[in-house]
């Protein structure tokens, strides 16, 4: 959607304010430009709708300290990686304690058995593998699903996001066909032969897609979170579980973002029954780590798996695993996180802050007569440019207004608060207090006031 004249003028004014307020970040961006693609260590860092990215000096709790000595209230939290806050004391202590005793060995740490038991107790699945990222955990889950069912097709929902997994970087075309997601670099094979896409919350479409009997697994988040937030409709998860069982397909739940639902994620909070479960980002308190859980009967089948006749064996060529996975530092952080962060007390603090944000944002939207909604799942909230939460990824995408979103994001940063750059998602961490909530609401109030000439 093209920006209106009032919106363009506001964006220009906010851009000048940003440039004037952040000379040190500007200088550092200029120095980095010759040495990094897009001027940043990882290109997503350039996706913030800012003239140049903030250079961060330190991050503590829910506060960012930048190169120009600003302190910003952080509601992005590393796009969930720091959901429990930046450098939680338990994780910092675990890192310090382990640092002098080995970083990686490719052998099991003495704490591995206890960590496996803690994962099983917290999330309800009996057998686990550790990876470096959630993307790796999803790749491994898909491989195991195809190997154990001897079926080729993966089913995902339109608007899904499961990291950098090739099979999942897809969208549903207007005619229902599977299409590669726009923007993919170096894509060679077309995903349609092995990935099927249907709308989220559409039980009839799901049943039709499963009916051929060639679907190894359905991979989904309990609620879509990366195309705006799309919560499940009543009865959807019950139908999803019943249909996958009826058609012999496995159910993989990716809880990398919906871990915000409570200790044990939505799987425990909503009583879900996945065959496989993947998590990453925040699971080890922000230290790089992913996990893959399996139900015990499936794990026994995986341990007994043999390649099809004519296939070659050999564990080293499974297509799964990296030598840094399950390293002692990750084990130490995961042990600390499971004991100190994945707790009812932690989530009680997060939910209290999220509830205050939710109520405050809704009140501001009403006062400023904005027909937008706030969708919330646990400690995660999304401001969406539509009056009610979407039912599908397509509905969520139809509500996008890139120019408006970019202007709001930039104006919020100028007033000392940060939300997720890709859309208006906020997270409340255990460190998020009343002052942080008040700071965000005051900034949003000011920005909505500036937007009075801009109606949508």
């Amino acid at each position: 959607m093209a920006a209106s004249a009032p919106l363009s003028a506001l964006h220009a004014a906010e851009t000048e304010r940003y440039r004037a307020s952040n000379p040190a970040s500007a200088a550092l961006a200029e120095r980095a430009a010759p040495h990094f693609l897009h001027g940043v260590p990882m290109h997503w860092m350039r996706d913030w709708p800012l003239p140049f990215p903030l250079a961060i000096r330190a991050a503590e709790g829910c506060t960012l300290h930048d190169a120009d000595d600003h302190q910003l209230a952080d509601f992005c939290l590393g796009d969930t990686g720091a959901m429990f806050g930046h450098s939680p004391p338990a994780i910092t202590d675990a890192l310090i304690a382990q640092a002098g005793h080995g970083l990686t060995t490719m052998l099991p740490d003495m704490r591995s058995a206890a960590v496996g038991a803690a994962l099983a107790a917290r999330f309800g699945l009996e057998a686990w593998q550790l990876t470096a990222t959630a993307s790796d955990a999803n790749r491994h889950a898909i491989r195991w699903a195809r190997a154990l069912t001897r079926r080729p097709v993966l089913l995902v929902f339109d608007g899904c996001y499961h990291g950098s997994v090739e099979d999942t970087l897809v969208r549903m075309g207007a005619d229902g066909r599977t299409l590669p997601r726009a923007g993919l670099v170096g894509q060679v094979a077309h995903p349609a032969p092995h990935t099927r896409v249907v709308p989220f919350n559409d039980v009839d479409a799901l049943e039709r897609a499963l009916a051929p009997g060639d679907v190894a697994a359905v991979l989904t988040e309990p609620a879509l979170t990366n195309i705006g937030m799309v919560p499940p409709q009543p009865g959807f998860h019950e139908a999803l579980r019943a249909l996958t069982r009826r058609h012999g397909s496995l159910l993989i739940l990716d809880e990398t973002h919906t871990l915000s639902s409570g200790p044990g994620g939505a799987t425990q909070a909503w009583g879900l029954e996945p065959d496989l479960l993947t998590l990453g980002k925040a699971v080890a308190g922000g230290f790089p780590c992913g996990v893959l859980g399996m139900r015990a009967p499936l794990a026994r089948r995986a341990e007994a798996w043999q390649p099809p006749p004519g296939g070659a064996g050999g564990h080293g060529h499974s297509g799964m695993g990296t030598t840094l996975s399950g390293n002692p530092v990750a084990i130490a952080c995961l042990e600390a996180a499971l004991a100190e962060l994945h707790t009812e007390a932690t989530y009680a603090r997060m939910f209290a802050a999220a509830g205050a944000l939710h109520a405050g944002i809704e009140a501001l939207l009403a006062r400023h007569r904005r027909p937008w909604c706030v969708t919330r799942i646990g400690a995660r909230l999304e401001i969406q440019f539509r009056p009610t939460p979407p039912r599908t990824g397509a509905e969520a995408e139809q509500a996008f207004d890139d120019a408006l979103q970019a202007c709001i994001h930039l104006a919020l940063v100028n007033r000392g608060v940060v939300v997720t750059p890709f859309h208006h998602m906020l997270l409340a961490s255990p460190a998020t207090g009343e002052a942080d909530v008040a700071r965000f609401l005051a900034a949003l109030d000011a920005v909505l006031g500036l937007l009075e000439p801009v109606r949508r």
Side-chain angles (χ1 to χ4, degrees), residues 84-123:
F84 295 118
H86 297 288
S87 298
I91 304 304
T92 300
D93 291 346
L95 285 167
I96 293 171
Q98 182 60 41
H101 300 284
L103 303 181
T104 186
T105 62
M106 211 179 75
L107 287 167
D109 184 87
M110 288 179 61
R111 295 160 290 191
S112 297
V115 166
L119 285 167
R122 175 51 66 201
F123 296 103

Side-chain angles (χ1 to χ4, degrees), residues 91-403:
I91 304 304
T92 300
D93 291 346
L95 285 167
I96 293 171
Q98 182 60 41
H101 300 284
L103 303 181
T104 186
T105 62
M106 211 179 75
L107 287 167
D109 184 87
M110 288 179 61
R111 295 160 290 191
S112 297
V115 166
L119 285 167
R122 175 51 66 201
F123 296 103
L125 287 82
E126 295 85 0
W128 294 85
Q129 287 280 273
L130 267 61
T131 65
T133 66
S135 292
D136 285 342
N138 283 323
R139 286 190 187 94
H140 300 182
I142 293 166
R143 280 190 175 273
W144 277 121
R146 285 173 168 153
L148 296 176
T149 63
R150 299 198 173 182
R151 294 177 172 185
V153 176
L154 175 72
L155 192 150
V156 297
F157 293 104
D158 189 38
C160 72
Y161 182 72
H162 301 288
S164 59
V165 182
E166 287 80 359
D167 307 71
T168 68
L169 297 171
V170 295
R171 293 304 304 271
M172 189 177 73
D175 58 359
R177 290 187 302 167
T178 299
L179 300 174
R181 191 153 191 164
L184 290 180
V185 175
Q187 182 78 7
V188 178
H190 198 284
H194 298 115
T195 302
R196 199 165 293 157
V197 190
V198 299
F200 195 68
N201 281 319
D202 190 332
V203 174
D204 292 339
L206 173 64
E207 185 161 23
R208 289 193 299 271
L210 292 171
D214 56 354
V215 174
V218 175
L219 169 60
T220 185
E221 296 180 280
L224 300 187
T225 64
N226 217 63
I227 192 158
M229 196 179 297
V230 184
Q233 294 294 301
F236 175 69
H237 275 293
E238 291 81 358
L240 171 61
R241 183 66 280 193
L243 286 170
T244 48
R245 284 175 172 154
R246 183 188 309 166
H247 291 282
S249 302
L250 298 175
L251 177 59
I252 309 168
L253 292 186
D254 178 351
E255 289 247 44
T256 299
H257 283 173
T258 55
L259 185 57
S260 64
S261 304
T267 295
Q268 295 293 70
W270 301 350
L272 307 181
E273 299 178 357
D275 298 300
L276 301 101
L277 177 69
T278 63
L279 299 120
K281 288 191 178 180
V283 71
F287 186 84
C289 181
V291 297
L292 165 62
M294 286 186 178
R295 298 286 178 196
L298 197 65
R300 301 296 81 80
R301 288 171 57 193
E303 290 173 338
W305 180 83
Q306 294 293 325
H315 292 308
H317 301 282
S318 66
M320 297 179 283
T322 59
T323 54
L324 295 178
S325 298
N327 65 73
V329 186
I331 287 283
C333 292
L334 190 54
E335 179 185 52
L338 289 165
E340 303 293 336
L341 302 180
H342 296 270
T343 67
E344 296 288 348
T346 296
Y347 277 89
R349 296 195 297 275
M350 295 163 65
F351 289 174
L357 281 167
H358 192 173
I361 295 169
E362 286 192 331
L364 288 175
L365 295 179
R367 181 154 64 80
H368 288 276
R369 295 178 291 112
R370 290 287 169 176
W372 305 341
C373 69
V374 184
T375 309
R376 178 185 166 199
I377 295 178
R380 178 183 301 271
L381 304 95
E382 183 94 23
I383 302 173
Q384 295 173 285
F385 300 144
R386 49 176 289 129
T388 58
R391 293 171 52 95
T392 67
E395 286 187 2
E397 189 172 37
Q398 288 166 7
F400 285 1
D401 185 328
D402 293 341

